[in-house]
Amino acid sequence: MLSVYLSGEIHTDWREQIIEGAKGLDVEFSAPVTDHGASDDCGVEILGAEENKYWHDHKGAMVNGIRTRKGIEEADVVVVRFGDKYKQWNAAFDAGYASAMGKSLIILQPPEHDHALKEVDAAALAVTREPGQVVDILRYVLEGTLPK
Amino acid sequence: MLSVYLSGEIHTDWREQIIEGAKGLDVEFSAPVTDHGASDDCGVEILGAEENKYWHDHKGAMVNGIRTRKGIEEADVVVVRFGDKYKQWNAAFDAGYASAMGKSLIILQPPEHDHALKEVDAAALAVTREPGQVVDILRYVLEGTLPK
Amino acid sequence: MLSVYLSGEIHTDWREQIIEGAKGLDVEFSAPVTDHGASDDCGVEILGAEENKYWHDHKGAMVNGIRTRKGIEEADVVVVRFGDKYKQWNAAFDAGYASAMGKSLIILQPPEHDHALKEVDAAALAVTREPGQVVDILRYVLEGTLPK
Amino acid sequence: MLSVYLSGEIHTDWREQIIEGAKGLDVEFSAPVTDHGASDDCGVEILGAEENKYWHDHKGAMVNGIRTRKGIEEADVVVVRFGDKYKQWNAAFDAGYASAMGKSLIILQPPEHDHALKEVDAAALAVTREPGQVVDILRYVLEGTLPK
Amino acid sequence: MLSVYLSGEIHTDWREQIIEGAKGLDVEFSAPVTDHGASDDCGVEILGAEENKYWHDHKGAMVNGIRTRKGIEEADVVVVRFGDKYKQWNAAFDAGYASAMGKSLIILQPPEHDHALKEVDAAALAVTREPGQVVDILRYVLEGTLPK
Amino acid sequence: MLSVYLSGEIHTDWREQIIEGAKGLDVEFSAPVTDHGASDDCGVEILGAEENKYWHDHKGAMVNGIRTRKGIEEADVVVVRFGDKYKQWNAAFDAGYASAMGKSLIILQPPEHDHALKEVDAAALAVTREPGQVVDILRYVLEGTLPK
Amino acid sequence: MLSVYLSGEIHTDWREQIIEGAKGLDVEFSAPVTDHGASDDCGVEILGAEENKYWHDHKGAMVNGIRTRKGIEEADVVVVRFGDKYKQWNAAFDAGYASAMGKSLIILQPPEHDHALKEVDAAALAVTREPGQVVDILRYVLEGTLPK
Amino acid sequence: MLSVYLSGEIHTDWREQIIEGAKGLDVEFSAPVTDHGASDDCGVEILGAEENKYWHDHKGAMVNGIRTRKGIEEADVVVVRFGDKYKQWNAAFDAGYASAMGKSLIILQPPEHDHALKEVDAAALAVTREPGQVVDILRYVLEGTLPK
């Protein structure tokens, strides 16, 4: 059984595509909370409001960190997705964290970011362009078969 | 003696400001190669040209990785600077890598990136706005004195 | 499945509140022996009496250490509860031990101890006031849902 | 050369007694910042004021954490002092942190705290009552000679 | 579930006593091969005879090492038994190995060896005299109940 | 249960012999993909063609690395087979990697390579000549019985 | 200061070329004993003769292992050279060992071995063809300057 | 520079022979306190008398543990000497502890103990009979020269 953590942007359905494509494979997926509102507000909703936006964000990031840390530490493979929008520094942070822990890293990104991601890609075992390629790798790693 | 690695953007003189400000303190600084051209081309200049830009970048990132890895592993404190321009994913990657290795992390960033950097900041022991604040922290950590 | 170790005072029913509140969540709880008499005397009851009270305590603390060590090492999350009475140095010791092992730390304490616990809180991912908040965090971490 | 970190209360001169007594021994001492005011305010003095006392304390604890972490990680021996006053949870936290990192732990405490400190003492290699005993241990460990 | 490795002499039935006594507890035991002849000859029986007795022994010790290493690494608790006869250096070696790996160590030995075993005992969490005491500890650690 | 990774040449049926011989033992085997064509081409088939043969190979080796890394990291025992043909540097690389991770190493090689493999053999717990000997070791390690 | 271990074949002067080329750089080199006769016979010369050639080799490989292990563990960078002759499995073993320890790996090999070394190369940060390129990398890593 | 810890019996001058023989080599030696009386009584002399002999020994063993732990942890090579008398379980314990930490182990023992020490020897890189052989190994490891 392969444990896979899906890190990165939460605005498109790339996780669903991978999970759907990997049906039938012996894979267990984990991911951050992808409900954007809940993810942003979990800290203050549970632990109490903050006037200062910085501490509002801080409390949420800490609570989300419990899930992220467990997800990455238990993963065999960490897939990190970079999309077209936003800074996505948390995705790059996860990639660095996973890399230092010796996890196998797969990057999913459009070619126009190749230069900006060259240090991240250099730490990865595969750089993919489409969710289907991630599925192909998981199938090959688990079953030794290539796409037809 | 405190060993400090200065990670992040290479277009402004923030490193020089910190090094200058820390004169007289028992600190040893290290950093990536900040000659932009050399940093981009070191792979192909030393190991041979590549037609494909992706592999051109890849070879350079790998060679730079020798220096980065040593710098972070030997550091007590890793300062990561996020500026106004560029994607700076390698900075966030370094922050994640340093965090997973248990290094003390200091972030240097303008307030407008607070929300985008909340997960990175949540892993840090200090979030600073000016190079002088980094110097103040180093002085306090080493000598126990606060800025007047 | 999330493994959670409940460390700290054994005189109120905070553990029962958390376990009850977390019913239906995929959590496995562990904890020290909370029978105060058994916990104090386990060393001499099993290994033989000691005239000197120091060694009486020492033998008990060592035997309890077998359970504590296993509980913390297998935990994803360590919750440490500080109450109003007693020194509770073992709770703070567990927090330090868990922190050095990279465990996600949740502190449960009344606000009047904020200043005295500031170093402990600084190592935590969440500081809670009520057992129900711990449950809310566990539910959010596992299922991504916030309290209504 | 033996590296020794002196953790715990900052209101009496126990550190000075140990350092003075160890003169001539091949020992390097480190310690937290013992200027109480600087230690409490370092966060806001350097990084900016906070209205909320909790975050005021938090920022200071984080900055002090840079020094504490380095001190403990580089130590061969961590001496933790418990006095008669205050909660001293940070001292117990340091003891737990040092213990999980495999450091040799020496506790310095009055006998009236024996029962409350039994779990901490059980993790230590020596429990002392006077600073002079710590010096005697350091001398014995380094030179193999006992006090006359 | 508690995983317990039973190391040490293979000439008396102490392992059977512990396993019998622990019936009904959630414990999984492992141990070296206790068939003395098989243990001594496994190397040459499987890998081919050696003229030199030293290499005969060496090959056997290496093959047995596969089982020992796995047993200790997977154990939560390592029980090491010292009896009245033989050198039993392999038992003391296992104790040192387990100690360096942070395992909880229980020693089982007659009082006449107390002085000779003082360094080994100092690394243990309990020193027992009878197999029944080991069972009592396992029951207490798992269920929190003391012997009546 | 013993987890065994079978590393090395993929041109003879030595893996099948071991797996067949170990039927009925509590062993879980893993191995690299042994379909030679798939193994060579998996990188370009999934991630896109490369003109340069070096990068063609590189992409495949990286993807295969995901499987190899997981197999070795989860193994208790790593069996490394050296045959008569080819350079087999990847087999020796796996042996070094497994050795640094503290895995129990069993080498399977014909005697004519003894001198060339002396450093590799020196890191192993057993050097075997036939697949049946590997099975005999696994049976002895698990059940304590020797071949009749 | 950069610590570099030079592993691999001992029949050509590649080590001398690198050491000569790196004069003036802040590098400390280490390497195995390159006196072939001494390296082969050190075991039996010091520890006593063996009739069986296998144990003759084994004793030598073990003694050489003391030096190799220290060299690799203290290195920042491990350079592994593959030449045209011999099996060189010890070089590949060193590469795997260094890789698992997170060392920066530089491979030095002629292009005709690219396919056979693809798994080894995939673990490296640079693949060089000439000793001068290794020197260029060391200079760049230390001083940030490229060859003119 | 090679750091060597000399563990084991303290009744003959084997340490002096090795240190004398190694003059001129770049070696730093460490060892336990070899003043037998001081070693036995250091605990009670510094920390206060115990009526119970067991705790008398225990306190001494703990204090000596500070020195032993530092010595072994900083060593590249641990030499463990077994003589003709006494149980020497602490020597075997040190060997196990050093082995688990990945130290290079050299055993020094008379041939009559070969069978009893086979598990300890199996973890060593060299088994020597005379202090001079230890010196020969240190010289070879450091300078690559064999005894004439």
Side-chain angles (χ1 to χ4, degrees):
Chain A
M1 207 270 297
L2 204 69
S3 182
V4 178
Y5 185 76
L6 301 171
S7 169
E9 58 104 322
I10 60 177
H11 305 89
T12 66
D13 69 344
W14 67 277
R15 281 188 186 81
E16 287 68 30
Q17 289 185 48
I18 290 176
I19 292 168
E20 178 67 27
K23 266 193 184 153
L25 293 178
D26 193 13
V27 183
E28 188 177 66
F29 290 101
S30 62
V33 170
T34 54
D35 173 338
H36 201 169
S39 175
D40 265 10
D41 295 336
C42 61
V44 295
E45 287 286 328
I46 296 175
L47 301 170
E50 293 289 330
E51 292 189 19
N52 187 326
K53 183 64 163 59
Y54 180 85
W55 297 116
H56 176 115
D57 281 351
H58 187 74
K59 283 165 95 168
M62 297 296 255
V63 169
N64 282 312
I66 300 175
R67 180 165 168 140
T68 307
R69 194 183 289 187
K70 181 175 165 66
I72 296 181
E73 281 175 11
E74 291 191 348
D76 300 304
V77 175
V78 176
V79 180
V80 188
R81 159 78 175 164
F82 292 87
D84 288 323
K85 287 188 261 181
Y86 307 103
K87 293 293 189 184
Q88 307 178 79
W89 284 321
N90 58 329
F93 181 87
D94 283 357
Y97 193 91
S99 178
M101 299 185 76
K103 303 297 175 183
S104 290
L105 209 56
I106 298 176
I107 307 301
L108 172 56
Q109 44 128 157
E112 55 266 34
H113 291 326
D114 277 4
H115 186 66
L117 281 168
K118 64 183 191 292
E119 288 87 1
V120 177
D121 289 352
L125 292 181
V127 175
T128 59
R129 306 308 188 184
E130 299 295 336
Q133 291 174 305
V134 176
V135 175
D136 288 344
I137 290 175
L138 298 179
R139 180 174 300 112
Y140 175 75
V141 166
L142 281 164
E143 308 193 339
T145 54
L146 291 177
K148 284 151 233 172
Chain B
M1 203 269 297
L2 204 67
S3 182
V4 178
Y5 184 77
L6 302 170
S7 169
E9 58 103 324
I10 61 177
H11 304 91
T12 67
D13 70 344
W14 67 278
R15 282 188 185 80
E16 287 66 31
Q17 290 185 50
I18 290 176
I19 293 168
E20 177 66 28
K23 268 195 183 153
L25 294 177
D26 192 14
V27 184
E28 187 177 67
F29 290 102
S30 62
V33 170
T34 55
D35 173 339
H36 200 169
S39 176
D40 266 9
D41 296 334
C42 62
V44 295
E45 286 287 328
I46 296 175
L47 300 171
E50 292 290 330
E51 292 190 17
N52 186 325
K53 182 64 163 58
Y54 180 85
W55 297 118
H56 176 115
D57 281 351
H58 187 73
K59 284 165 94 168
M62 298 296 257
V63 168
N64 282 312
I66 300 174
R67 181 164 168 140
T68 307
R69 192 183 289 188
K70 180 175 166 69
I72 295 181
E73 282 176 9
E74 292 191 346
D76 299 305
V77 176
V78 175
V79 180
V80 188
R81 159 77 175 166
F82 292 87
D84 289 323
K85 287 188 262 178
Y86 307 104
K87 293 292 186 182
Q88 306 176 78
W89 285 321
N90 59 327
F93 182 89
D94 282 358
Y97 192 91
S99 178
M101 299 185 76
K103 304 297 176 182
S104 291
L105 208 56
I106 298 174
I107 307 299
L108 172 55
Q109 45 129 156
E112 56 266 34
H113 291 324
D114 277 3
H115 186 67
L117 281 169
K118 64 182 190 294
E119 289 88 1
V120 177
D121 290 353
L125 291 180
V127 176
T128 58
R129 306 309 190 184
E130 298 295 336
Q133 290 173 304
V134 176
V135 174
D136 288 344
I137 290 176
L138 298 180
R139 180 176 298 110
Y140 175 74
V141 167
L142 282 164
E143 309 194 338
T145 54
L146 291 177
K148 285 150 231 171
Chain C
M1 207 266 298
L2 203 69
S3 181
V4 178
Y5 185 77
L6 302 170
S7 169
E9 58 104 322
I10 61 177
H11 304 90
T12 66
D13 69 344
W14 67 277
R15 280 187 187 81
E16 286 69 28
Q17 290 185 49
I18 290 175
I19 293 169
E20 178 67 26
K23 267 192 184 156
L25 293 178
D26 193 14
V27 183
E28 187 177 66
F29 290 102
S30 62
V33 170
T34 55
D35 173 340
H36 200 169
S39 175
D40 266 12
D41 295 336
C42 62
V44 296
E45 287 286 328
I46 296 174
L47 301 171
E50 292 290 330
E51 292 190 17
N52 187 326
K53 183 61 163 59
Y54 179 86
W55 297 117
H56 176 115
D57 280 352
H58 187 73
K59 284 165 94 168
M62 298 295 256
V63 169
N64 282 312
I66 300 174
R67 181 164 166 138
T68 307
R69 192 181 292 187
K70 181 176 166 66
I72 296 179
E73 281 175 11
E74 292 191 348
D76 299 305
V77 175
V78 175
V79 180
V80 188
R81 159 78 176 163
F82 293 87
D84 289 323
K85 289 188 259 181
Y86 308 103
K87 293 294 188 182
Q88 307 176 84
W89 285 321
N90 58 329
F93 182 88
D94 282 357
Y97 193 91
S99 178
M101 298 184 75
K103 302 297 175 182
S104 291
L105 209 55
I106 298 175
I107 307 299
L108 172 56
Q109 44 126 157
E112 57 265 34
H113 291 326
D114 276 5
H115 187 66
L117 281 169
K118 64 182 190 291
E119 288 87 1
V120 177
D121 289 353
L125 292 181
V127 176
T128 59
R129 305 310 188 183
E130 299 295 336
Q133 291 174 304
V134 176
V135 175
D136 288 344
I137 290 175
L138 298 180
R139 180 174 300 110
Y140 175 74
V141 167
L142 282 163
E143 308 194 339
T145 56
L146 291 177
K148 286 148 229 177
Chain D
M1 204 267 298
L2 204 67
S3 182
V4 178
Y5 184 77
L6 302 170
S7 169
E9 57 104 323
I10 61 175
H11 304 91
T12 67
D13 69 344
W14 67 276
R15 281 187 186 80
E16 287 67 30
Q17 290 185 50
I18 289 175
I19 293 168
E20 177 69 27
K23 268 195 182 153
L25 294 179
D26 192 13
V27 184
E28 188 177 63
F29 291 102
S30 63
V33 170
T34 56
D35 174 338
H36 200 170
S39 175
D40 266 10
D41 295 335
C42 62
V44 294
E45 287 285 331
I46 296 174
L47 301 171
E50 292 290 329
E51 293 190 17
N52 186 326
K53 182 66 161 60
Y54 179 86
W55 297 118
H56 176 115
D57 281 353
H58 187 74
K59 282 166 95 167
M62 298 296 257
V63 169
N64 282 311
I66 301 175
R67 180 165 167 139
T68 307
R69 192 182 290 187
K70 180 174 166 69
I72 295 181
E73 281 176 9
E74 292 192 347
D76 300 304
V77 176
V78 175
V79 180
V80 187
R81 159 77 175 166
F82 292 87
D84 289 322
K85 288 188 262 180
Y86 308 102
K87 293 291 187 183
Q88 305 175 81
W89 284 321
N90 58 329
F93 182 89
D94 283 357
Y97 193 90
S99 178
M101 298 185 76
K103 302 298 176 182
S104 291
L105 208 56
I106 298 175
I107 307 299
L108 172 56
Q109 45 128 154
E112 56 267 33
H113 290 326
D114 277 3
H115 187 66
L117 281 169
K118 64 181 190 293
E119 288 87 2
V120 177
D121 290 353
L125 292 180
V127 176
T128 59
R129 307 307 189 184
E130 300 294 338
Q133 290 173 305
V134 176
V135 175
D136 289 345
I137 290 174
L138 298 180
R139 181 176 298 110
Y140 174 75
V141 166
L142 281 164
E143 308 193 340
T145 55
L146 292 177
K148 286 148 227 172
Chain E
M1 206 268 296
L2 203 68
S3 181
V4 179
Y5 185 78
L6 302 170
S7 169
E9 57 105 320
I10 61 176
H11 304 90
T12 66
D13 69 343
W14 68 276
R15 280 187 188 81
E16 286 69 28
Q17 289 185 50
I18 290 175
I19 293 168
E20 178 67 26
K23 268 194 182 152
L25 294 177
D26 192 13
V27 184
E28 187 176 67
F29 291 102
S30 62
V33 170
T34 55
D35 173 339
H36 199 168
S39 175
D40 266 12
D41 295 336
C42 62
V44 295
E45 287 285 329
I46 295 174
L47 301 171
E50 290 292 329
E51 291 190 17
N52 186 327
K53 183 61 162 59
Y54 179 86
W55 297 117
H56 175 116
D57 280 353
H58 187 74
K59 284 165 95 169
M62 298 295 257
V63 169
N64 282 311
I66 300 174
R67 181 165 169 140
T68 307
R69 193 182 290 186
K70 180 174 167 68
I72 295 179
E73 281 174 11
E74 292 191 348
D76 299 303
V77 176
V78 175
V79 180
V80 187
R81 159 78 176 165
F82 292 88
D84 289 324
K85 287 187 262 181
Y86 308 103
K87 293 293 188 181
Q88 305 175 84
W89 284 320
N90 57 329
F93 181 88
D94 281 357
Y97 192 91
S99 178
M101 298 185 76
K103 303 297 175 181
S104 290
L105 209 55
I106 298 176
I107 307 299
L108 172 56
Q109 46 126 157
E112 56 265 34
H113 291 326
D114 277 3
H115 186 67
L117 281 169
K118 65 181 189 293
E119 287 88 1
V120 177
D121 290 353
L125 291 181
V127 176
T128 59
R129 306 311 188 181
E130 299 295 336
Q133 291 174 305
V134 176
V135 175
D136 288 344
I137 290 175
L138 298 180
R139 179 175 299 111
Y140 174 75
V141 167
L142 281 164
E143 308 193 340
T145 56
L146 292 177
K148 287 148 226 176
Chain F
M1 207 267 295
L2 204 68
S3 182
V4 178
Y5 184 77
L6 302 170
S7 168
E9 58 106 321
I10 60 175
H11 303 90
T12 66
D13 69 344
W14 68 276
R15 281 187 187 82
E16 287 69 29
Q17 290 185 49
I18 290 176
I19 292 168
E20 177 68 27
K23 268 193 183 154
L25 294 177
D26 193 12
V27 184
E28 188 176 66
F29 290 101
S30 63
V33 171
T34 55
D35 173 338
H36 200 167
S39 175
D40 266 10
D41 294 336
C42 61
V44 294
E45 286 286 329
I46 297 174
L47 301 170
E50 291 291 331
E51 290 190 19
N52 185 327
K53 184 61 164 59
Y54 179 86
W55 298 117
H56 176 116
D57 281 352
H58 187 73
K59 283 166 96 168
M62 298 296 256
V63 169
N64 282 311
I66 299 175
R67 181 164 169 139
T68 307
R69 196 183 286 187
K70 180 174 167 69
I72 295 180
E73 280 175 12
E74 291 191 348
D76 300 304
V77 175
V78 175
V79 180
V80 187
R81 159 78 176 165
F82 291 88
D84 289 322
K85 288 188 260 181
Y86 306 103
K87 293 293 187 183
Q88 304 176 81
W89 284 321
N90 59 329
F93 182 88
D94 282 357
Y97 193 91
S99 178
M101 298 185 76
K103 303 296 175 181
S104 291
L105 208 56
I106 299 175
I107 306 300
L108 172 56
Q109 46 127 157
E112 55 265 34
H113 290 324
D114 277 3
H115 187 66
L117 281 168
K118 64 183 191 292
E119 288 86 1
V120 177
D121 290 352
L125 291 180
V127 175
T128 58
R129 306 309 189 183
E130 299 294 336
Q133 290 174 305
V134 175
V135 175
D136 289 344
I137 289 175
L138 298 180
R139 180 175 297 112
Y140 174 75
V141 166
L142 281 164
E143 308 193 340
T145 54
L146 291 177
K148 286 149 227 174
Chain G
M1 203 267 298
L2 204 68
S3 182
V4 178
Y5 184 77
L6 302 170
S7 168
E9 58 103 327
I10 60 176
H11 303 91
T12 67
D13 69 344
W14 67 277
R15 281 186 187 80
E16 287 67 30
Q17 290 184 48
I18 290 176
I19 293 168
E20 178 66 28
K23 268 195 183 152
L25 294 178
D26 193 13
V27 184
E28 187 176 66
F29 291 101
S30 63
V33 170
T34 55
D35 173 338
H36 200 171
S39 175
D40 266 11
D41 295 336
C42 61
V44 296
E45 287 286 327
I46 295 175
L47 301 170
E50 292 291 329
E51 291 191 17
N52 185 326
K53 181 63 162 59
Y54 179 86
W55 297 117
H56 176 114
D57 280 352
H58 187 74
K59 284 166 95 168
M62 297 297 257
V63 168
N64 282 312
I66 300 174
R67 181 165 169 139
T68 307
R69 193 182 289 189
K70 181 176 167 66
I72 295 180
E73 281 175 9
E74 293 191 347
D76 300 304
V77 176
V78 175
V79 180
V80 187
R81 158 76 175 166
F82 292 87
D84 289 323
K85 288 189 259 178
Y86 307 103
K87 292 293 187 181
Q88 306 178 83
W89 285 321
N90 58 329
F93 182 89
D94 282 358
Y97 193 90
S99 178
M101 299 185 75
K103 303 297 176 182
S104 290
L105 209 56
I106 298 175
I107 307 298
L108 173 54
Q109 45 128 154
E112 56 265 33
H113 290 323
D114 277 2
H115 186 67
L117 280 169
K118 66 181 187 295
E119 288 87 2
V120 176
D121 290 352
L125 291 180
V127 175
T128 58
R129 306 310 188 182
E130 298 295 336
Q133 290 173 305
V134 175
V135 175
D136 287 344
I137 290 175
L138 298 179
R139 180 175 299 111
Y140 175 75
V141 167
L142 282 163
E143 309 194 338
T145 53
L146 291 178
K148 285 148 230 173
Chain H
M1 205 266 300
L2 205 68
S3 183
V4 178
Y5 185 76
L6 302 170
S7 169
E9 58 103 326
I10 60 176
H11 303 91
T12 67
D13 69 343
W14 67 276
R15 279 186 188 80
E16 287 68 29
Q17 289 185 48
I18 290 175
I19 293 167
E20 177 67 28
K23 269 194 181 152
L25 293 178
D26 192 14
V27 184
E28 188 176 64
F29 290 101
S30 63
V33 170
T34 55
D35 173 338
H36 200 171
S39 175
D40 267 10
D41 296 334
C42 61
V44 295
E45 287 285 329
I46 296 174
L47 300 170
E50 292 291 329
E51 292 190 16
N52 186 326
K53 181 62 160 61
Y54 180 86
W55 297 117
H56 175 115
D57 281 353
H58 187 74
K59 282 166 95 167
M62 297 296 256
V63 170
N64 282 312
I66 300 174
R67 180 164 169 139
T68 307
R69 194 182 287 188
K70 181 175 165 68
I72 295 181
E73 280 175 11
E74 291 191 348
D76 299 304
V77 176
V78 175
V79 180
V80 188
R81 159 76 175 166
F82 293 88
D84 289 323
K85 289 190 260 180
Y86 308 102
K87 292 292 187 182
Q88 305 176 84
W89 283 321
N90 58 331
F93 182 88
D94 283 357
Y97 192 90
S99 178
M101 299 185 74
K103 303 298 176 181
S104 291
L105 208 56
I106 298 175
I107 307 300
L108 172 55
Q109 44 127 157
E112 55 267 32
H113 291 325
D114 277 2
H115 187 66
L117 281 169
K118 65 182 188 293
E119 287 88 2
V120 177
D121 290 353
L125 291 181
V127 176
T128 59
R129 307 309 188 182
E130 300 294 336
Q133 290 174 305
V134 176
V135 175
D136 288 345
I137 289 174
L138 298 179
R139 180 175 300 110
Y140 175 74
V141 166
L142 281 163
E143 308 193 340
T145 54
L146 291 176
K148 286 147 228 175

